[in-house]
Amino acid sequence: MREGCHDIPQLHRELRARGFTGDIQCVRRYFRPFKKPHSPKPKNPPAPAPELRPVPKPRRVVRWIMTNPGHLAETDTAELKEIRAACPHLDATFATSPT
């Protein structure tokens, strides 16, 4: 191994020639801690997944749609805008609501 041979079957043959009686699995188990990992670890770890917001309940979305837009909190208005952009059917319902 020190001479550069990293081929376990070859090392096993050389050891057998010198009188070793163990099997090839014994040699593999012995050299396992010295083996380098197959794939290098990535230099840059993957970015953490963005934090997911909880999905608003349908009843809350209906309340946002039925409420006068002037009376909605800024956060509720922003969420309703995102929901309407993601769902054209809901956007059509909002457009025909009585408010």
Side-chain angles (χ1 to χ4, degrees):
M1 189 80 158
R2 282 188 231 145
E3 295 172 5
C5 179
H6 296 96
D7 184 38
I8 299 295
Q10 177 63 34
L11 289 169
H12 181 251
R13 285 190 293 275
E14 290 178 18
L15 289 169
R16 298 240 354 163
R18 294 182 182 192
F20 179 69
T21 58
D23 64 353
I24 193 167
Q25 291 303 323
C26 183
V27 177
R28 283 190 175 119
R29 280 192 300 272
Y30 178 80
F31 283 108
R32 191 173 294 142
F34 304 106
K35 193 173 182 180
K36 293 180 182 177
H38 289 293
S39 60
K41 292 184 178 180
K43 291 181 182 178
N44 297 328
E51 216 174 287
L52 297 176
R53 291 187 310 209
V55 176
K57 296 187 175 176
R59 201 174 267 195
R60 177 170 287 197
V61 175
V62 170
R63 191 187 87 225
W64 291 340
I65 291 171
M66 299 305 292
T67 301
N68 182 338
H71 295 150
L72 284 175
E74 287 182 30
T75 55
D76 295 342
T77 303
E79 281 195 70
L80 180 59
K81 185 177 180 180
E82 286 179 32
I83 292 169
R84 288 179 59 197
C87 181
H89 299 293
L90 191 60
D91 190 42
T93 303
F94 184 83
T96 61
S97 68
T99 56

